[in-house]
Amino acid sequence: MKLGPFSFDAPVFLAPMAGVTDTAYRIIAHDMGCPLCYAEMVSSQGIHFRNEHTLVMLQSEKGERPLAMQIFAATPEMAAEAAAYVEALGTADILDFNMGCPAPKVVKNGEGSALMRDPERATAILTAIRKAVKMPFTVKMRIGWDAEHINVVELAERAEAAGVDAIAVHGRTREQFYAGHADWSKIADVRRAVSIPVIANGDVRTYDDLDHIREATGCEAVMIGRAAQGNPWLFRQLTHYLRTGERLPGPTMQERAAVIVRHLDLLLKYKGDYVGPREMRKHATWYTRGIVHGAILRDRFNKATTRDDFLAILREFFDYHE
């Protein structure tokens, strides 16, 4: 798959996830072989008002490039201003626009997946962004608002006409949030309707899922979200599989422990001694999902407040030593 000046021979991308795909996790995913990571969505309003937290979210490191930065907005003017700011900042290589977030606090402002109900405004926003930036520009959307309003093909055609370079489609409606099953057939409809690359998203967790979604949709690329939480090894496995056909084994317990420590150290670096360990709690429970003593581990991790606390848990349950 090609996107602007970038070419991806094993296009398995990390989806943008609020509170998850920050710099720390993106670096880990990139090191595991993910060729393109999408950053967590950033508010155009926050950019407009130069909100300190928002500006921190726009930062990146050389070790995670190329990087796609995602913005969300309710109006063409705000979207264009934010897009131009991101391009001028130079911390990302690709700009993405969010038309898929189902969160009520986003939707009530006419942002995210609310735009699936307003094709004219969505088109105006995409057109304004395209005029505002020269960098590669993608959009992420759902298949519709609900089962009675599946309009992703119309929105995709409008996006292509507006000059968008690629479209990522999550095969669920806004009403579904993350429940039920992704409808890959609707993604296939988009693939047939447009000539720009389409990135398939939804329910890819295994080698077989990767085979099936590529066969079912015909898409050039796949985007992985929740299945990558606590499992960055999935990128190493799937990209290697696409290149060689070989199915690599999952991580050992020692590998899990080592990555937990690396992730924690990155969070300490970027978010400090107080926030870092507390944000690491959810990641640590994801990293150890499905293993023996999982419930006890979750309880212990959720009480950890320092690096030493995490190391003590890993020594006890993983026999891990730095």
Side-chain angles (χ1 to χ4, degrees):
M1 172 186 166
K2 290 188 176 181
L3 185 55
F6 304 103
S7 182
F8 304 101
D9 69 330
V12 180
F13 303 149
L14 172 64
M17 291 179 284
V20 179
T21 57
D22 57 10
T23 297
Y25 186 73
R26 297 192 309 259
I27 288 173
I28 289 172
H30 191 276
D31 288 350
M32 289 287 182
C34 182
L36 177 62
C37 297
Y38 279 69
E40 53 188 328
M41 66 180 188
V42 178
S43 165
S44 59
Q45 293 248 13
I47 293 174
H48 176 76
F49 291 107
R50 303 297 190 264
N51 176 272
E52 183 178 353
H53 176 67
T54 300
L55 298 184
V56 168
M57 292 173 68
L58 293 173
Q59 298 305 308
S60 67
E61 296 288 346
K62 291 181 180 179
E64 54 173 322
R65 309 290 286 269
L67 170 68
M69 194 69 71
Q70 186 186 72
I71 62 171
F72 65 101
T75 67
E77 296 77 16
M78 196 67 76
E81 178 189 330
Y85 184 88
V86 170
E87 183 172 59
L89 194 62
T91 55
D93 309 282
I94 295 162
L95 181 76
D96 184 61
F97 184 70
N98 183 305
M99 283 174 45
C101 179
K105 67 180 181 180
V106 173
V107 169
K108 73 177 183 180
N109 294 324
E111 300 164 323
S113 57
L115 289 167
M116 301 296 295
R117 295 194 293 182
D118 194 343
E120 293 296 336
R121 184 160 56 93
T123 302
I125 289 174
L126 298 178
T127 301
I129 293 174
R130 180 71 287 169
K131 291 179 179 178
V133 300
K134 296 180 179 179
M135 66 195 302
F137 167 37
T138 64
V139 61
K140 189 170 190 289
M141 61 181 69
R142 289 185 170 237
I143 59 174
W145 179 258
D146 56 30
E148 286 71 45
H149 300 87
I150 305 293
N151 62 342
V152 66
V153 170
E154 177 193 353
L155 269 296
E157 290 174 337
R158 285 173 173 265
E160 181 177 31
V164 171
D165 296 302
I167 302 167
V169 180
H170 181 170
R172 287 181 173 82
T173 64
R174 187 271 172 176
E175 189 178 67
Q176 285 181 275
F177 277 69
Y178 301 98
H181 298 286
D183 188 342
W184 294 347
S185 71
K186 299 300 187 295
I187 304 175
D189 291 342
V190 174
R191 172 62 284 169
R192 288 188 291 268
V194 300
S195 60
I196 56 177
V198 177
I199 306 166
N201 177 219
D203 295 349
V204 177
R205 305 178 185 89
T206 66
Y207 293 111
D208 289 341
D209 291 339
L210 179 63
D211 284 339
H212 293 157
I213 197 171
R214 296 177 77 218
E215 181 181 356
T217 66
C219 287
E220 291 85 347
V222 172
M223 181 176 279
I224 297 178
R226 289 171 298 150
Q229 293 175 350
N231 188 19
W233 297 275
L234 191 57
F235 295 105
R236 181 177 66 187
Q237 292 171 313
L238 297 185
T239 54
H240 181 79
Y241 176 65
L242 286 178
R243 293 182 178 115
T244 68
E246 180 187 8
R247 299 190 176 202
L248 296 174
T252 65
M253 296 295 281
Q254 287 297 305
E255 286 176 314
R256 286 179 188 270
V259 172
I260 288 172
V261 174
R262 173 157 167 71
H263 197 156
L264 172 61
D265 285 341
L266 287 167
L267 284 173
L268 289 168
K269 176 181 178 181
Y270 295 114
K271 300 193 176 182
D273 292 340
Y274 182 84
V275 174
R278 285 159 178 80
E279 287 206 1
M280 189 62 212
R281 292 170 178 173
K282 64 185 177 187
H283 292 285
T285 59
W286 289 332
Y287 278 119
T288 53
R289 190 165 40 199
I291 68 173
V292 177
H293 306 305
I296 298 173
L297 272 171
R298 284 191 294 273
D299 180 66
R300 292 283 298 276
F301 281 135
N302 284 327
K303 294 175 181 176
T305 60
T306 67
R307 187 178 192 273
D308 285 344
D309 289 342
F310 281 94
L311 287 176
I313 297 168
L314 295 174
R315 280 194 297 269
E316 180 179 350
F317 288 91
F318 294 77
D319 193 28
Y320 174 79
H321 301 278
E322 289 189 288

